[in-house]
């Protein structure tokens, strides 16, 4: 029973990380200047994608949450199949 609670707590933490990270990534304000002109010099535009430090943190949190969810899911599936094999009498 204790193992099930731990799995649900970890999955809840993963969902929270994905939700918080996704919210920060989507709703963090980004400001960038006027971009409807080409520079007269031979320089190219740089920094066109408005990836602010806040959005980078949000993306990192969402990625960490997804990795945690996948890790816990894989562990739970592996544990379940090992338990089922033990109950069926198969040694792996």
């Amino acid at each position: 029973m204790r193992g099930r609670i731990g799995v649900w707590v970890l999955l809840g933490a993963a969902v929270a990380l994905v939700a918080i990270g996704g919210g920060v990534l989507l709703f963090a304000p980004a400001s960038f200047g006027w971009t409807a002109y080409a520079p007269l010099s031979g320089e190219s535009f740089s920094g066109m994608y408005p990836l602010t430090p806040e959005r980078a943190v949000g993306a990192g949190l969402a990625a960490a949450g997804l990795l945690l969810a996948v890790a816990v899911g894989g562990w739970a599936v592996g544990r379940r199949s090992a338990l089922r094999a033990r109950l069926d009498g198969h040694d792996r």
Side-chain angles (χ1 to χ4, degrees):
M1 182 76 169
R2 191 177 130 196
R4 286 187 193 172
I5 293 172
V7 168
W8 286 110
V9 168
L10 285 175
L11 282 176
V15 168
L17 279 174
V18 170
I20 292 169
V24 170
L25 181 64
L26 292 176
F27 299 117
S31 64
F32 46 94
W34 182 256
T35 58
Y37 63 90
L40 296 176
S41 65
E43 296 178 15
S44 63
F45 286 116
S46 63
M48 291 295 288
Y49 184 74
L51 183 62
T52 62
E54 293 85 10
R55 286 185 172 194
V57 168
L61 286 174
L66 288 173
L67 286 174
L68 181 62
V70 168
V72 170
W75 176 78
V77 168
R79 183 176 174 195
R80 172 179 265 177
S81 65
L83 179 62
R84 183 170 290 154
R86 226 181 303 144
L87 291 175
D88 289 342
H90 302 295
D91 271 340
R92 290 185 183 184

